[in-house]
Amino acid sequence: MARQAALDAAAIFVEATVASGRDPRDGGYLLRVDLVVKWPGIDPEIAAPLLRKADSLCPYARMVWQETPTTITLAS
């Protein structure tokens, strides 16, 4: 998304946290994925729409979006 917006993506770093636990609805297992984007020097107002769009295109989010809660946020 950064390259499509003519922004330098070289400094972008993504930290992923994956957790599993019990689903309170049915007692089965549930995964949760949180992605934190570290993008030094980017204005959050510029990054926010790009992260929203990335959320819809992210292969990990797309792979599991129906059953795994996933968030993508910009580190502060």
Side-chain angles (χ1 to χ4, degrees), residues 15-76:
E15 182 177 279
T17 302
V18 179
S20 64
R22 291 289 187 172
D23 186 338
R25 294 173 295 175
D26 64 9
Y29 289 97
L30 181 68
L31 286 175
R32 174 169 181 84
V33 178
D34 294 301
L35 302 176
V36 176
V37 177
K38 296 180 181 182
W39 194 353
I42 190 71
D43 181 332
E45 290 190 23
I46 293 172
L50 298 174
L51 293 180
R52 282 193 298 274
K53 190 167 185 183
D55 187 32
S56 68
L57 299 175
C58 171
Y60 298 105
R62 290 184 71 184
M63 179 175 55
V64 295
W65 71 271
Q66 291 179 331
E67 296 296 327
T68 304
T70 303
T71 62
I72 300 177
T73 57
L74 180 66
S76 48

